[in-house]
Amino acid sequence: MTPPAAPALHHTTDGPPGAPPLVLGPSLGTMLSVWDPQLPALAGRFHVVRWDLPGHGGTPVDALADPGTTTVPELAGLVLELADARGLDRFAYAGASLGGAVGAWLAAHHPSRVASLALICSSARFGEPAGWRERAALVRAKGTDVVADPAAGRWFTPAFATSPQATTLVEALRRDVSPEGYAACCDALAVFDLRTALPRIGAPTLVVAGRADPATPPAHTRELTDGIPGASLVELSGAAHLAGVERPAEVLAALLAHLAPLHTDPAPGTDL
């Protein structure tokens, strides 16, 4: 039998290899480090696989067949290739924003692969396509500085936007995200619309919203919750788009409660 090809997505693994697998997806403009606040606790109970979007962090843009025609299904296919390479036939999945869209698409179209789903500040449709196409064109022309400058205002509430955590993520966007990779992900968001497929999601689903999120406001997360059978919703005050960074303990608590049916006993001495 031919072994799976090496995955195109840069990724890291943490936690016991024999623990239930949990795949974590990042948001546009961030890397797998966006999950750092939750990683120690999650890796105490799960085999955690985090991945980078194309053109972000360690994943090259040429992971994509054609950056100008990128779609969420293509990104989801790369995640399945990663899961296959890691021997993960069925896994829990949690994703932030675009990473959540990837997980929702997988749960709707490959239900046998997704055991549990968590969507953090995500959406079934991220607004009108024209805005994303304009942003993609702008970044291709002027680089990521043009989106890094206002990023803190989109990602965080004003009280958190000047914090060290916020500054670190904005600088990583400038330094570690290629213009073509960022623009390609904007192209994917422009054509993404999962609204009619939400009823097909059968995995137990948690939706987390930041009440001050300008990118995927509570109306978007309520649409997810209403459309996915049996989904539960947690809304966090004092949180904008990167709720897992701004309100890390609350997001972790929601995830652990949602994933409780999959938990194994933590390793001795693990701080949860």
Side-chain angles (χ1 to χ4, degrees):
M1 181 176 177
T2 304
L9 296 177
H10 171 254
H11 63 283
T12 62
T13 61
D14 296 274
L22 171 62
V23 178
L24 300 179
S27 61
L28 172 66
T30 72
M31 276 65 71
L32 51 80
S33 60
V34 76
W35 287 101
D36 281 354
Q38 290 78 33
L39 182 64
L42 293 175
R45 301 189 181 210
F46 298 96
H47 180 61
V48 178
V49 180
R50 297 181 292 166
W51 55 275
D52 280 333
L53 289 158
H56 292 59
T59 299
V61 175
D62 62 14
L64 299 168
D66 177 1
T69 61
T70 304
T71 64
V72 168
E74 181 182 5
L75 297 175
L78 293 174
V79 172
L80 285 183
E81 291 176 8
L82 169 59
D84 290 344
R86 303 298 312 181
L88 309 181
D89 293 330
R90 188 166 168 81
F91 48 86
Y93 185 99
S97 192
L98 174 55
V102 170
W105 192 92
L106 284 172
H109 292 89
H110 296 273
S112 65
R113 303 299 298 270
V114 181
S116 183
L117 179 66
L119 307 175
I120 315 299
C121 298
S122 195
S123 183
R125 182 175 183 266
F126 291 80
E128 294 297 327
W132 290 108
R133 297 197 187 283
E134 289 169 7
R135 193 190 297 190
L138 188 63
V139 171
R140 286 186 171 108
K142 298 187 176 182
T144 55
D145 280 349
V146 73
V147 288
D149 290 338
R154 292 193 306 268
W155 287 348
F156 306 111
T157 64
F160 195 82
T162 57
S163 68
Q165 299 96 315
T167 300
T168 295
L169 285 172
V170 170
E171 289 309 308
L173 168 55
R174 296 183 194 277
R175 182 183 65 243
D176 299 326
V177 178
S178 74
E180 188 56 49
Y182 188 98
C185 290
C186 290
D187 292 334
L189 288 166
V191 297
F192 179 70
D193 189 346
L194 199 66
R195 290 174 294 181
T196 61
L198 292 178
R200 297 169 56 178
I201 297 177
T205 300
L206 166 71
V207 180
V208 176
R211 288 182 182 164
D213 183 356
T216 53
H220 286 230
T221 47
R222 290 169 192 158
E223 183 176 45
L224 286 171
T225 310
D226 291 342
I228 299 172
S232 60
L233 173 64
V234 173
E235 292 189 2
L236 299 176
S237 60
H241 194 52
L242 294 188
V245 177
E246 190 161 8
R247 299 291 299 276
E250 291 82 355
V251 170
L252 175 62
L255 283 172
L256 290 178
H258 174 66
L259 297 169
L262 304 176
H263 284 175
T264 58
D265 291 333
T270 299
D271 182 8
L272 299 180

